[in-house]
Amino acid sequence: MAVARIPDPCIIVIFGASGDLTSRKLVPALHNLQAEGLIPDETSIVGTARTNYSDNDFSTELREAIADHSRILPTDQTWADFGRDIHYVPGDVTDEGLWDDLKAKLTAIDAERGTDGNRVWYMATLPRFFPVIAEALGKSGLLDSGGWQRLVVEKPFGTDLSSARELNGVLSAYFAEDQIFRIDHYLGKETVQNLLVFRFANAIFEPIWNRRYVDHVQITVAEDIGVEDRAAFYEAIGALRDVGQNHLLQLLTLIAMEPPVAWDADAIRNEKVQVLKAVRRWSADDCSNVVARGQYEDYRAEKNVDDSSSTETFVAIKLAIDNWRWAGVPFYVRTGKKLPSKATEVAIHFQKVPHLLFAHTAVEKIDPNVLVIRVQPDEGISLTFGTKVPGPEVNVATVDMEFDYETDFGSGSPEAYERLLLDCMNGDATLFTRSDEIEQAWEIIDPILDFWRKGGRPGTYSSSEWGPESAHELIRRDDRQWRDPRTR
Ligand code: BG6
């Protein structure tokens, strides 16, 4: 991964610039990078979308958005530096005129700001335009500007294995693999990066990080909000494609991978791919026992949702990793909206003690140790262990060893998009998903989508429940239960 180095000046061209992602995440991230001196002042932004803005309309709207969504607020002084490099070119990506207009604008900025033909092409549009944009960039000569060219692709990357392969095919006709940056914003989160540091910067965990000591692993990405104003998008996607195929499987790879031979993009991604290859592909028969889907109670009443929708807003899967390290250790993963709390965590449940020593005492059972890595919120790590309750009797209570990011490091960690945009400008793809990784992930997900297509409906759940009853049955079948992320 990159050490803090300042990238070359470049122009970031954002397609779909009138959308929420631009105003809530991308431009605040760029603003903060510039405010902290991590990117050169000459870095310029060119937004494009169909809305008919002027440079000034666009930049005024962005200043307000930054004030609302950024961890660093714009001042008149920071805005004087940052705002003057914001531009807008209206147009439709299916209209040939757009590419000439863009070329004229970018050439003028290169001349004025010394951005040397360097480009980040950021696709924040509806996914159906990704191939259209890549092809137009290739054919219009815009990639021949004399500097480096990098393409950022937002998720979802395809909707199944065949569409992901097709998209990889189109992109690779115009960009080399090391120019393609497929975003999974989870990888930009500090606490997600820390999964690797925690595992490989500490000698004591690795020896027990395997089937001899680990009973099972639970990975949860839970949200307490519903689909909000994204229902039109979500209806066609559902929880499995929206979060399961990417964020959940990415967390799984970081927890389960072997130590990479080096701290670089290819070494790390090679190991992640090995994990995905080892994840068992479930058959349709298996799916009825190892997959559960749910829909929150009022989902069908949401605007833009079909009143007989069977889109899942919750999914739980039991995954098996068929390799020497993890054979026989189930990984239970779940994600959902409108759950009792927002919580992303990984819980490593260790095996119980082999023999209960405390005969003739009040101790009837001892809880196994659980290592919980809280990705968000309340970022931190805790380890439970048994301890003697003070007093004349032998009695064991479960207590916690606790690390809390905010206590140790203070608040104000950079946002995921800050890290990812900076890495992209520096050409470091470690925290981005490689084409084979994406395709392996879809290979795991596709059989589940096929199984659901055969019929049935998700079970409903209320916002006070952790998913539908089928999710609890899934884990109870193995004599286990889901951890409540609110337990500390
Ligand atoms: C996005 C999904 O990728 O991740 C959203 O499309 C989800 O549906 C979001 O809400 C969750 O991200 P975070 O960073 O809030 O956990």
Side-chain angles (χ1 to χ4, degrees):
M1 280 176 223
V3 284
R5 76 183 155 95
I6 310 286
D8 308 325
C10 69
I11 308 178
I12 296 139
V13 182
I14 306 176
F15 296 98
S18 56
D20 263 10
L21 184 73
T22 306
S23 53
R24 284 172 181 256
K25 300 284 182 192
L26 303 182
V27 177
L30 291 165
H31 169 265
N32 297 349
L33 288 171
Q34 188 156 320
E36 293 190 328
L38 293 169
I39 56 174
D41 278 357
E42 296 79 8
T43 309
S44 301
I45 300 171
V46 174
T48 172
R50 280 180 307 182
T51 315
N52 217 354
Y53 286 134
S54 65
D55 283 359
N56 195 40
D57 299 333
F58 186 51
S59 126
T60 309
E61 199 172 293
L62 291 176
R63 180 168 182 175
E64 282 162 23
I66 293 173
D68 290 345
H69 302 294
S70 175
R71 73 186 170 87
I72 302 178
L73 300 181
T75 62
D76 287 343
Q77 200 203 333
T78 59
W79 197 255
D81 279 343
F82 186 75
R84 72 172 169 153
D85 288 315
I86 295 183
H87 309 265
Y88 188 81
V89 176
D92 189 321
V93 295
T94 58
D95 174 0
E96 293 203 354
L98 171 66
W99 309 101
D100 291 335
D101 294 349
L102 267 179
K103 196 179 282 178
K105 181 72 115 184
L106 300 179
T107 312
I109 299 172
D110 277 343
E112 196 190 321
R113 302 298 277 147
T115 36
D116 277 344
N118 297 327
R119 309 280 186 256
V120 171
W121 307 101
Y122 200 113
M123 302 208 279
T125 56
L126 290 174
R128 69 170 185 274
F129 295 120
F130 296 170
V132 178
I133 295 168
E135 199 172 334
L137 286 174
K139 292 190 171 157
S140 63
L142 274 162
L143 302 180
D144 308 323
S145 54
W148 48 253
Q149 311 290 328
R150 293 177 191 139
L151 179 73
V152 183
V153 193
E154 264 297 332
K155 60 174 274 283
F157 195 96
T159 50
D160 57 15
L161 178 60
S162 82
S163 55
R165 276 195 183 139
E166 200 177 312
L167 182 55
N168 274 332
V170 176
L171 302 187
S172 65
Y174 304 100
F175 294 86
E177 180 61 30
D178 65 1
Q179 294 178 297
I180 305 174
F181 291 73
R182 298 173 191 79
I183 285 237
D184 182 315
H185 78 280
Y186 260 61
L187 294 176
K189 291 180 191 278
E190 284 288 336
T191 43
V192 173
Q193 293 164 48
N194 190 42
L195 293 175
L196 291 187
V197 174
F198 179 78
R199 285 190 57 197
F200 302 126
N202 295 291
I204 63 168
F205 299 112
E206 209 38 37
I208 55 169
W209 210 259
N210 55 48
R211 62 191 302 277
R212 289 188 62 197
Y213 296 94
V214 176
D215 177 74
H216 74 282
V217 177
Q218 296 187 16
I219 305 179
T220 301
V221 175
E223 294 182 275
D224 51 1
I225 53 170
V227 286
E228 303 199 296
D229 51 6
R230 293 168 72 233
F233 157 82
Y234 196 86
E235 256 292 83
I237 292 289
L240 181 59
R241 289 186 175 107
D242 186 40
V243 171
Q245 184 269 349
N246 36 74
H247 309 329
L248 268 181
L249 287 182
Q250 285 294 323
L251 291 172
L252 173 109
T253 59
L254 297 175
I255 290 298
M257 70 192 260
E258 295 301 315
V261 290
W263 193 253
D264 68 39
D266 270 333
I268 291 179
R269 295 187 300 176
N270 286 345
E271 295 307 336
K272 289 168 68 191
V273 170
Q274 290 305 318
V275 173
L276 294 172
K277 283 187 178 162
V279 172
R280 195 177 307 160
R281 277 51 169 159
W282 294 123
S283 68
D285 280 351
D286 298 324
C287 281
S288 46
N289 285 323
V290 297
V291 180
R293 62 175 159 164
Q295 189 182 70
Y296 63 77
E297 262 172 10
D298 317 323
Y299 178 70
R300 290 182 183 173
E302 300 271 16
K303 195 169 154 228
N304 291 324
V305 170
D306 194 295
D307 54 14
S308 61
S309 168
S310 57
T311 299
E312 80 287 358
T313 61
F314 175 97
V315 61
I317 316 170
K318 173 182 168 183
L319 292 168
I321 303 181
D322 292 327
N323 63 17
W324 274 58
R325 187 189 282 261
W326 295 117
V329 178
F331 282 68
Y332 301 96
V333 303
R334 60 180 167 167
T335 181
K337 293 199 183 279
K338 281 257 175 107
L339 293 172
S341 70
K342 179 170 174 72
T344 297
E345 65 166 43
V346 176
I348 315 284
H349 292 250
F350 289 93
Q351 290 179 14
K352 56 183 198 283
V353 290
H355 165 66
L356 193 59
L357 181 66
F358 311 99
H360 315 300
T361 70
V363 182
E364 283 171 4
K365 78 172 190 39
I366 297 180
D367 295 330
N369 306 97
V370 184
L371 177 76
V372 180
I373 304 173
R374 295 189 306 277
V375 172
Q376 64 183 24
D378 303 329
E379 291 81 354
I381 299 177
S382 64
L383 176 66
T384 67
F385 61 98
T387 193
K388 182 177 176 305
V389 179
E393 306 245 299
V394 177
N395 220 331
V396 177
T398 300
V399 294
D400 262 354
M401 260 192 306
E402 175 73 32
F403 154 66
D404 177 75
Y405 267 83
E406 196 168 336
T407 312
D408 280 58
F409 298 119
S411 56
S413 293
E415 286 274 339
Y417 277 95
E418 294 177 34
R419 175 60 193 264
L420 295 174
L421 282 164
L422 182 62
D423 281 6
C424 172
M425 286 186 249
N426 273 320
D428 181 347
T430 310
L431 300 178
F432 294 83
T433 324
R434 214 166 55 186
S435 61
D436 50 349
E437 226 176 318
I438 292 264
E439 292 182 12
Q440 287 295 327
W442 279 120
E443 265 194 29
I444 297 166
I445 299 302
D446 264 15
I448 303 173
L449 294 170
D450 288 343
F451 170 67
W452 286 347
R453 267 187 219 109
K454 296 198 171 101
R457 282 187 160 178
T460 51
Y461 59 94
S462 76
S463 57
S464 60
E465 294 170 292
W466 289 97
E469 182 48 31
S470 55
H472 298 287
E473 280 163 17
L474 178 157
I475 195 163
R476 267 203 306 262
R477 261 179 233 126
D478 296 342
D479 263 341
R480 300 187 177 101
Q481 58 181 18
W482 292 107
R483 206 188 96 81
D484 184 334
R486 292 168 299 186
T487 325
R488 287 286 292 273

